[in-house]
Amino acid sequence: MISQRIGFILLITLFILSGSITPVQAEQDNKPPQLVSQSVTPQVVAFKGGGAPGALTINLETNEPTRGYIKVIGNGVETKFHLSNEFKTDHHVKKAPWNSSESKPLPEGEYSLKLYLQDEALNQMHGYSLGTFQVADTQTSSSLIYDIMASPQPISPKYKQTEPLTTIKFNASRPAKAKVVIKRNKDGQTYFESGFFTVKDGTGEFEWNGRDNEGRIVPNGKYTITIKAKDLTYGDAPVESYSRDNFSVLAVENGDHDIPQDRLKEILTEHPLEQSTINRNDDQKNEISGTFTLHEDVNVTAWIENGANVHIKRLGTFSGKGKHSFAWDGTEFMRGSVIDGPYYVSYYIDEGPARGELHSDNELRVEGGIDVTVPKDAQVVKINTENPDFSAFYDQDYHGARKGERFPIIEYVEGRQAYKTLISEGAVGYIAPEHVDLLNVDSIPEKWGEATQKVTAYRGPNHGVKYGTFEKGKTFRILRHDGVYYRVELNTGEQVYIHENGMKEIEKPKETSTYVVKSGDVLWKIAQMYDVTVDQIVKENNLDPNDYLKIGQTLTIPTSKKPIPFNPDEKNGEYVVKSGDTLWKIASKLNTTIDQLIKLNQLDTNEYLMIGQTLKYPTSKTVHMVEGGDTLWKISQKYDVPLDNLIQINDLDPSEYLYYGQKLIIPQGKPVDGDYYTVQSGDTWWKIAKAHKTTVTMLLEANDATGDQVIYPGQQIVLP
């Protein structure tokens, strides 16, 4: 047996030696592969670019399929640029000046390129010179990804629409693997993230249909496009993020984030209620039941919500076509009784991935239980921020509040450090005090406080956002005492919080300031600068109004306001809003129109005027210099303007004398709005009211006057 095997092996050996059997291998031609063409560009590169290109582009063509690498030598470094692992005749590579052996950029200097190739017959090319290149040391780097933008936009993704709506384009300075990430600006949430794709030709494109990774249409708003990319020109490049400020923003408008209401009504039909009221005092009315029909196989969660559209109890989850029923006993999540008021059923419909909420038109009411009312003297707050910290039932975020919206305060809840407010009938909410301003400040009884030490003021009563510090002795007007904090009003009108340990309540402080008389000053001019009367300055300083002021003389001014230099040549005057003022009354006083006041001050007609608010009003450039013998009556006749307008615009006291050299602003023409009456000799408020079939009260209100106010012949008054 052994001899037979030996014989077989010898026989095979003889066949091989005789050439009858040839081993399977590539033909050995003993000729190394040859280059047909070569190019290496550019001559100067820098890692990540900047002042030079960021990568070498090497193109090689060989006479037969080859594979191999390029050795990079110079400046004490030796590393490799690898070609394809496959045998091929064309090699195209783009490489950054990167030392793959030590995982760091090549240092500045000159490098030589040596080519090493092998063909399929294992013939080799060793160290063929491809020339040299220079690595520059640039201080700046060239971004891998740049010029990110989406077009067209804005986009409006619609229900059941899935085709691409926009193309996101960007440029790549070097070969890269990239992915698209889309985040909503409002909350920073990532709504979409693509997979990685390769960008070789310098331009990347990605089409998007306005849906998230689950296939749901994204909410309306502005989104930032970020490209996450990995540089393929060197081995261990990290994945980095790239965006382009305002240029990589994509807007989504009028999209169907939620299933359209018409479609929801096709899916679900609600049936009328037999009973819609729960009365705590009637045992026969302690539950409300209802039914609805689903026309498609979807999942539905039914909720009870209050008048603020806040969910307070889940009624159940339902699925499948057919009729379904629910019942509610007037309780909330924790089985406690709800506040008296209106309630509604809402149906959250999920047809995957689209979702939407259908709000019932049937009003449910709860009566005879917990009644929440607002005090008659309740203070009102106005939201002062775009995203207020406002919670509703069981600390659910209440998203219905908008900047500028007003709510009455029920009480301050110290445990929450929040104002409890009434959102709507039967619905209360809790809002952070720093996110609202008290509106009816003038109706709050005046209380004053003084800092007993250096104090820190905060935006809210929680040591949260610091406003600033105030020295001992600083006085504040106290608006509220919320827990252990005083809510105070600063001179600027801002409202802040100071801990009660650093404050004591005091009598109203006397507000004064000092003024040093300069050349050309007269009492009237100084009074105008500080918005006070001449008589007030005279009494405060015990002056004789007929005496001249002396340069360098120090006067006590009965106000803490900063002086406003009086410039009678200005095109616009300024008026400080007083109690009871309306735009109509102010326009009448200042001989202008409501429209002019609105445009000049950029007013929102939905906002109330604030006492102390300064309004600009159009004035004439005409200024009259008081001369000997001048009276208000003579000046009003000379310029054909109502006497009362002249007094109002210049804030004059008719009982005081004019002064030589005093400058008076002359208003433009006669009043243009409303009905007016020119006072005649012997007229009284009562006579005028009777003659024009109105009441004295209405006449006084229309003119912002009091019954003891003297009227003058030639004065024009407003008729209600």
Side-chain angles (χ1 to χ4, degrees):
M1 187 70 177
I2 294 174
S3 61
Q4 288 178 343
R5 290 180 179 176
I6 293 173
F8 179 75
I9 293 171
L10 290 173
L11 181 62
I12 294 299
T13 303
L14 289 173
F15 272 115
I16 292 173
L17 293 174
S18 65
S20 300
I21 297 178
T22 303
V24 179
Q25 67 176 47
E27 181 180 356
Q28 293 281 355
D29 58 11
N30 296 320
K31 293 181 180 180
Q34 301 294 315
L35 277 178
V36 176
S37 64
Q38 68 180 71
S39 68
V40 179
T41 56
Q43 292 300 307
V44 180
V45 294
F47 183 66
K48 289 193 175 182
L56 282 174
T57 299
I58 303 173
N59 296 312
L60 304 174
E61 183 182 356
T62 58
N63 64 334
E64 58 180 316
T66 57
R67 64 184 180 185
Y69 60 89
I70 299 170
K71 189 175 287 187
V72 182
I73 305 169
N75 303 290
V77 175
E78 184 174 308
T79 188
K80 295 177 181 178
F81 291 163
H82 289 278
L83 305 179
S84 172
N85 290 327
E86 299 177 0
F87 288 100
K88 53 198 304 187
T89 57
D90 291 312
H91 298 277
H92 305 283
V93 294
K94 197 168 187 177
K95 295 292 183 181
W98 178 256
N99 183 350
S100 58
S101 302
E102 300 181 13
S103 297
K104 62 182 181 181
L106 292 175
E108 179 184 11
E110 186 177 78
Y111 293 84
S112 59
L113 298 171
K114 303 293 184 180
L115 178 63
Y116 292 80
L117 292 176
Q118 182 185 66
D119 62 18
E120 292 176 301
L122 305 183
N123 297 311
Q124 297 181 350
M125 172 190 286
H126 289 278
Y128 181 86
S129 176
L130 295 176
T132 62
F133 72 96
Q134 193 83 17
V135 174
D137 183 17
T138 59
Q139 298 300 313
T140 59
S141 61
S142 175
S143 177
L144 174 64
I145 304 297
Y146 60 98
D147 287 352
I148 306 168
M149 59 184 61
S151 180
Q153 65 164 303
I155 62 173
S156 300
K158 297 299 181 182
Y159 178 71
K160 296 296 185 183
Q161 181 187 58
T162 58
E163 63 269 17
L165 299 176
T166 190
T167 301
I168 297 166
K169 296 182 179 181
F170 58 91
N171 290 325
S173 59
R174 301 177 292 283
K177 277 191 174 181
K179 67 162 60 175
V180 175
V181 179
I182 299 176
K183 292 185 178 181
R184 191 182 185 195
N185 292 5
K186 182 178 180 180
D187 51 20
Q189 180 179 342
T190 298
Y191 277 84
F192 178 81
E193 184 169 337
S194 73
F196 276 106
F197 54 94
T198 302
V199 181
K200 289 185 176 180
D201 60 0
T203 301
E205 291 189 3
F206 185 86
E207 293 182 329
W208 188 50
N209 60 6
R211 293 174 178 264
D212 62 20
N213 286 102
E214 294 181 358
R216 187 182 185 188
I217 293 172
V218 300
N220 292 331
K222 291 187 177 180
Y223 292 78
T224 295
I225 303 167
T226 299
I227 305 298
K228 289 188 175 181
K230 174 182 173 67
D231 194 332
L232 295 181
T233 57
Y234 61 101
D236 53 354
V239 174
E240 297 183 89
S241 297
Y242 303 87
S243 60
R244 193 187 172 203
D245 300 329
N246 296 332
F247 293 96
S248 56
V249 171
L250 171 63
V252 178
E253 298 178 358
N254 302 316
D256 290 339
H257 175 61
D258 296 317
I259 301 173
Q261 290 294 305
D262 290 345
R263 171 62 180 151
L264 292 174
K265 291 177 181 179
E266 292 177 356
I267 296 173
L268 185 148
T269 300
E270 189 178 40
H271 304 149
L273 298 171
E274 293 184 5
Q275 177 185 310
S276 60
T277 302
I278 292 177
N279 192 317
R280 302 297 185 190
N281 301 318
D282 187 345
D283 292 338
Q284 302 299 316
K285 294 184 177 181
N286 57 13
E287 186 177 87
I288 296 173
S289 59
T291 59
F292 62 91
T293 297
L294 289 178
H295 303 288
E296 297 186 18
D297 287 325
V298 296
N299 294 320
V300 175
T301 301
W303 297 86
I304 291 292
E305 61 183 18
N306 60 22
N309 296 125
V310 175
H311 293 167
I312 64 167
K313 188 168 186 178
R314 189 171 69 89
L315 297 176
T317 300
F318 311 87
S319 60
K321 293 182 180 180
K323 191 173 183 179
H324 302 274
S325 61
F326 63 84
W328 181 50
D329 60 359
T331 60
E332 30 85 340
F333 287 116
M334 304 301 291
R335 302 295 301 168
S337 296
V338 299
I339 300 170
D340 287 359
Y343 294 87
Y344 304 86
V345 179
S346 71
Y347 303 93
Y348 191 76
I349 299 173
D350 185 347
E351 63 173 359
R355 296 183 285 273
E357 190 166 16
L358 181 63
H359 298 274
S360 171
D361 294 328
N362 295 327
E363 180 182 293
L364 318 179
R365 288 202 68 86
V366 176
E367 300 173 349
I370 304 170
D371 184 24
V372 175
T373 57
V374 177
K376 290 183 179 180
D377 59 348
Q379 293 176 338
V380 178
V381 293
K382 181 177 74 171
I383 296 176
N384 60 20
T385 183
E386 295 292 349
N387 298 299
D389 181 4
F390 204 159
S391 62
F393 185 78
Y394 278 96
D395 292 331
Q396 295 181 66
D397 288 338
Y398 176 58
H399 300 291
R402 298 291 181 267
K403 184 177 180 180
E405 194 169 357
R406 296 166 169 80
F407 297 93
I409 297 176
I410 298 173
E411 61 180 332
Y412 174 76
V413 182
E414 187 170 2
R416 286 176 170 265
Q417 292 186 326
Y419 289 136
K420 182 179 180 181
T421 66
L422 188 67
I423 302 175
S424 64
E425 183 188 2
V428 298
Y430 299 87
I431 189 165
E434 59 266 33
H435 291 166
V436 295
D437 294 323
L438 290 175
L439 280 187
N440 45 348
V441 172
D442 293 308
S443 65
I444 301 173
E446 283 198 13
K447 291 176 63 177
W448 295 86
E450 180 180 277
T452 57
Q453 59 191 32
K454 187 174 183 178
V455 294
T456 300
Y458 297 91
R459 294 291 185 184
N462 51 14
H463 278 202
V465 180
K466 182 178 177 181
Y467 174 84
T469 57
F470 296 95
E471 298 299 325
K472 179 181 178 180
K474 171 68 176 176
T475 58
F476 307 91
R477 184 184 172 191
I478 297 173
L479 301 179
R480 290 179 60 92
H481 197 176
D482 293 332
V484 295
Y485 284 87
Y486 285 110
R487 183 173 186 130
V488 302
E489 182 182 48
L490 305 179
N491 294 341
T492 59
E494 294 173 282
Q495 299 173 12
V496 297
Y497 278 85
I498 297 175
H499 198 281
E500 63 183 12
N501 289 344
M503 288 265 290
K504 68 176 181 180
E505 295 187 18
I506 60 172
E507 297 293 327
K508 182 178 180 179
K510 185 177 181 180
E511 298 178 347
T512 61
S513 54
T514 58
Y515 178 78
V516 178
V517 177
K518 301 178 179 62
S519 176
D521 277 343
V522 293
L523 284 173
W524 177 85
K525 178 181 176 182
I526 298 170
Q528 289 288 305
M529 291 169 60
Y530 284 92
D531 194 25
V532 297
T533 66
V534 171
D535 189 54
Q536 286 177 299
I537 297 177
V538 169
K539 290 179 180 178
E540 187 70 33
N541 295 273
N542 195 25
L543 299 176
D544 182 346
N546 296 314
D547 287 346
Y548 290 104
L549 296 176
K550 297 178 181 179
I551 296 175
Q553 180 179 353
T554 300
L555 298 178
T556 299
I557 311 298
T559 181
S560 61
K561 294 180 181 178
K562 293 183 178 180
I564 301 174
F566 173 64
N567 182 0
D569 294 326
E570 286 186 353
K571 185 176 181 181
N572 298 314
E574 290 185 340
Y575 175 84
V576 179
V577 177
K578 301 176 178 61
S579 178
D581 271 345
T582 64
L583 284 175
W584 182 81
K585 286 184 179 180
I586 296 171
S588 299
K589 287 181 186 179
L590 302 180
N591 200 24
T592 184
T593 66
I594 293 175
D595 187 60
Q596 284 178 308
L597 289 176
I598 291 173
K599 289 180 180 178
L600 191 58
N601 294 278
Q602 297 182 340
L603 298 177
D604 182 353
T605 54
N606 295 318
E607 298 281 348
Y608 290 102
L609 295 176
M610 305 293 289
I611 294 175
Q613 180 179 352
T614 300
L615 298 180
K616 293 181 180 180
Y617 63 92
T619 67
S620 167
K621 290 186 178 180
T622 303
V623 177
H624 176 82
M625 183 80 72
V626 175
E627 300 172 350
D630 271 347
T631 64
L632 286 173
W633 168 253
K634 285 184 178 180
I635 297 170
S636 68
Q637 292 298 304
K638 177 180 179 180
Y639 291 99
D640 192 25
V641 296
L643 177 62
D644 192 50
N645 284 14
L646 190 63
I647 293 171
Q648 293 279 2
I649 287 178
N650 291 279
D651 197 21
L652 300 175
D653 183 345
S655 64
E656 293 183 358
Y657 292 104
L658 296 176
Y659 297 90
Y660 182 82
Q662 184 175 350
K663 294 178 181 179
L664 299 180
I665 297 174
I666 307 301
Q668 306 175 63
K670 295 185 177 181
V672 294
D673 288 336
D675 295 324
Y676 293 85
Y677 171 76
T678 302
V679 178
Q680 307 297 318
S681 178
D683 272 342
T684 64
W685 290 110
W686 182 83
K687 283 184 179 181
I688 298 171
K690 183 178 180 181
H692 292 87
K693 298 181 180 180
T694 185
T695 65
V696 173
T697 300
M698 293 177 66
L699 192 61
L700 292 174
E701 286 181 354
N703 290 274
D704 192 24
T706 58
D708 58 355
Q709 185 170 325
V710 179
I711 53 178
Y712 304 88
Q715 178 180 350
Q716 284 198 322
I717 61 174
V718 180
L719 296 176

